[in-house]
Amino acid sequence: MSGLIRLVDIPTHGDQRGSLSVAELGGALPFVVRRAYWLHGTQPGVSRGFHSHKKLNQLCVCVKGSVRFVLSDGKSRESVTLDRPDRGLLIGPDTWREMHDFSPDCVLLVLADAEYDEGDYRRLQ
Ligand code: T46
């Protein structure tokens, strides 16, 4: 795993009924969550992202299906596929992110440490 790719195992409780995964402060979550959003229904062949954030920290969990992230700090570029609900990807500031190869059933949950602010984005144009 590279320095760019910070994967966290999300504590999961399983029994005969199924599984329950928990992201809580001091556990899988290194920040207080101020916003949650999720990407779903992404059309075939569509890629998303293509930006970095100035201050935002996020934990991305693919709770259903799969998606491939490409991360870059301007020097190196790394790729990681998220395909399980008990694994999270932490993305901090100044990290370029692209999301590719969404499966048709992909639901990507993102927990963020700040409210939405377009001024925090660095985009190509
Ligand atoms: C990121 C990756 C993983 C809002 O109104 N509120 C929100 O909290 C967000 C995240 C988006 N929006 C609006 C802004 C756009 O009109 O939803 C629309 C789609 O957002 P965007 O094109 O930025 O989505 P993605 O998939 O390119 O990127 C998103 C997040 O924006 C971004 O922070 O890290 O997912």
Side-chain angles (χ1 to χ4, degrees), residues 43-57:
Q43 294 300 301
V46 166
S47 296
R48 306 188 63 135
F50 299 94
H51 60 260
S52 60
H53 284 279
K54 296 173 188 172
K55 293 184 181 165
L56 193 67
N57 288 285

Side-chain angles (χ1 to χ4, degrees), residues 36-86:
Y37 60 92
W38 43 100
L39 308 182
H40 52 100
T42 305
Q43 294 300 301
V46 166
S47 296
R48 306 188 63 135
F50 299 94
H51 60 260
S52 60
H53 284 279
K54 296 173 188 172
K55 293 184 181 165
L56 193 67
N57 288 285
Q58 300 192 107
L59 177 68
C60 305
V61 182
C62 189
V63 294
K64 189 173 169 76
S66 62
V67 59
R68 182 171 63 88
F69 274 77
V70 171
L71 302 178
S72 174
D73 59 3
K75 289 175 277 197
S76 59
R77 189 173 163 92
E78 301 284 344
S79 176
V80 63
T81 295
L82 297 185
D83 59 2
R84 44 191 297 177
D86 59 355

